[in-house]
Amino acid sequence: MTPVASPPTRSFKAVAPVIALCWLAVFFDGMDVNIYGAVIPHLLDDPSLGFSPGKAGTVGSWTTFGMLIGALATGTLTDWLGRKPLVTASVLLFSLGSALCAAAPDVTVFAAGRFVSGLGLGGLMPIGLALVAEFAPPRRAALATGLMMTSYHAGGMAATGISLAVAPDHGWRWVFWAGVLPAVVAVPLVMKWLPESPGVLFAKGRIEQAYAVADRFGLDRPGSSAAPSAGAKGRMTAIRGLFAPGVRGATPLLWIASFAGLLLVYGVSTWLPELMRASGYSLSSSLTFLIVINAGGILGMLVAGRTADRFGPVKVSAIWFLLTASGAFLLRAQLPLGVAYVVVFLTGVWLFSAQVMVYATTARVYEPGERATGLGWVTGVGRTGAVVGPWLGGMVIADGNASLGFTTFAVAAVLAAAAISLVPVVRRARADAAPGPTAALAGAAD
């Protein structure tokens, strides 16, 4: 038996390679998600595929339906098969989907390509979140999560920039060909440098490797309590753990918050340019709003992460969602262009980081052995909101009612704020009813 060693102090410097690789993978995730929203105006203006606002919304929902399946499957399988293989598979899938879209002869093949992309996009996020939650310094977990998620918005800005630079002169297909880059750039780096979870290695019986990774990155050496259960039976045990005493009330609330939050995120990411164009802004200005809202998202991740490490992710998420509702309500009016840019930027500061703080709360609610499964199901069930958001936006745009679209997003933000606010309430009530270890853990999500 290898003697127990005192691991080095865990710091951002020690775990920087893990966060950097997750950042890169999620950057391409954000680029692929936002490519579709960035080219929708060009797709609608191209008669060759026969796109209409209604069909465009349906295709967007196929993307998020794939993400739902990918998140549920990967969140459940990652503790069994390992983080690195599934990160690699996820990146390859959404790169393949982008290639299918670039070569699509009709709407059906294009929709199939977006569905395949969705499988990879949905699978990547819960793994990246679980890795960062596992490797980050405990008191800086929310900041590390926010830092990693800045990449999503950097990717969104890159997608819009590529669309503005390439689509007008070379067509929208070349924008999707750019979406094949992750398979060439990210996959080799992930395969060579991304470490496997020590808990997963321990569960597979690779104990020496588990200890080596833990020691290298300053983690506690895993034991049987921190390792996920192996095999199909272990996966069912992890799923049942989401409804164990102490968390059974929090689980559906996290699902509701994620549903409403992702309805917002994907509804806005898909339809913001068309909503702004329907409000009277020019096409170029409407596309620029995507860059502005993602720039706000980057700042918001850093601010929310630092604030949540001090005050707790629940409080930050709830307040940020309410501020998002205010921003969406303001956008119902046709504001002067400069004022609209400011409101969209601030809405980006609040919107995306509010949803990420739902994930940060989830990482605190569940124990290490159930964390990846919990994150997978919170993101997966939430993807039903991501399915509804693009479809709902398409229906609203088809009726030419941009004001109703912004009102719908504001209502979703209020629902998310209410659900996430109740998570510590139900956990505290459970702890009061059953004092002991449960009571000690009940305040962790505050």
Side-chain angles (χ1 to χ4, degrees):
M1 177 68 68
T2 301
V4 176
S6 298
T9 302
R10 197 187 321 181
S11 64
F12 268 107
K13 183 178 180 180
V15 301
V18 179
I19 296 176
L21 286 168
C22 290
W23 193 99
L24 179 64
V26 175
F27 169 86
F28 285 120
D29 182 304
M31 190 177 86
D32 195 287
V33 169
N34 285 275
I35 274 178
Y36 183 58
V39 302
I40 276 182
H42 298 285
L43 290 169
L44 293 175
D45 293 341
D46 181 355
S48 64
L49 291 182
F51 263 81
S52 65
K55 287 182 179 179
T58 300
V59 170
S61 293
W62 272 105
T63 309
T64 49
F65 182 61
M67 294 170 83
L68 183 156
I69 296 173
L72 292 178
T74 304
T76 302
L77 294 174
T78 183
D79 287 334
W80 184 9
L81 301 178
R83 312 281 199 254
K84 181 184 288 191
L86 288 178
V87 168
T88 302
S90 296
V91 175
L92 288 174
L93 273 174
F94 64 72
S95 298
L96 172 62
S98 191
L100 286 173
C101 290
D106 53 41
V107 174
T108 302
V109 176
F110 188 96
R114 292 308 292 166
F115 176 76
V116 171
S117 288
L119 292 174
L121 295 167
L124 179 61
M125 191 66 71
I127 308 174
L129 291 166
L131 276 168
V132 169
E134 182 175 5
F135 280 81
R139 294 186 179 182
R140 292 292 182 266
L143 176 59
T145 300
L147 181 63
M148 184 198 78
M149 290 300 295
T150 62
S151 61
Y152 179 91
H153 305 287
M157 294 173 69
T160 308
I162 292 170
S163 177
L164 286 170
V166 174
D169 294 329
H170 303 286
W172 57 266
R173 293 183 186 274
W174 282 103
V175 181
F176 281 99
W177 282 122
V180 181
L181 285 174
V184 179
V185 176
V187 167
L189 295 173
V190 166
M191 292 180 68
K192 184 173 178 61
W193 297 109
L194 186 69
E196 186 55 86
S197 160
V200 172
L201 291 171
F202 188 93
K204 289 173 173 283
R206 296 157 62 182
I207 297 174
E208 294 297 329
Q209 288 180 269
Y211 288 167
V213 172
D215 293 347
R216 178 184 173 191
F217 292 98
L219 280 64
D220 294 330
R221 289 185 168 187
S224 57
S225 61
S229 302
K233 182 179 180 181
R235 299 304 88 232
M236 294 307 301
T237 299
I239 293 171
R240 287 195 296 269
L242 305 184
F243 297 93
V247 298
R248 63 168 60 113
T251 293
L253 288 171
L254 290 168
W255 290 357
I256 292 170
S258 187
F259 168 87
L262 288 174
L263 185 154
L264 271 167
V265 167
Y266 287 95
V268 169
S269 295
T270 301
W271 286 109
L272 180 63
E274 279 300 303
L275 284 171
M276 300 308 287
R277 190 158 73 155
S279 296
Y281 300 96
S282 67
L283 174 60
S284 60
S285 295
S286 297
L287 287 171
T288 304
F289 281 117
L290 267 185
I291 295 178
V292 172
I293 200 169
N294 279 293
I298 291 174
L299 176 62
M301 294 298 173
L302 300 175
V303 173
R306 292 184 66 86
T307 307
D309 280 330
R310 181 174 181 182
F311 298 105
V314 168
K315 295 182 180 69
V316 173
S317 183
I319 293 171
W320 262 231
F321 273 127
L322 291 176
L323 291 170
T324 298
S326 301
F329 192 78
L330 283 173
L331 290 173
R332 294 171 69 250
Q334 186 176 356
L335 304 169
L337 184 60
V339 176
Y341 279 137
V342 172
V343 173
V344 168
F345 178 83
L346 291 174
T347 303
V349 170
W350 303 319
L351 165 59
F352 301 107
S353 52
Q355 175 62 24
V356 170
M357 289 305 107
V358 174
Y359 300 144
T361 301
T362 302
R364 293 191 181 192
V365 166
Y366 300 113
E367 291 298 291
E370 289 80 37
R371 184 174 293 146
T373 300
L375 283 164
W377 279 79
V378 166
T379 56
V381 173
R383 297 296 181 191
T384 58
V387 171
V388 171
W391 170 82
L392 187 60
M395 295 300 100
V396 171
I397 287 293
D399 291 336
N401 194 338
S403 177
L404 178 60
F406 287 120
T407 301
T408 301
F409 291 144
V411 171
V414 173
L415 173 62
I420 197 66
S421 296
L422 289 173
V423 169
V425 175
V426 298
R427 282 173 59 76
R428 195 173 295 117
R430 180 71 188 181
D432 290 342
T438 301
L441 294 171
D446 290 2

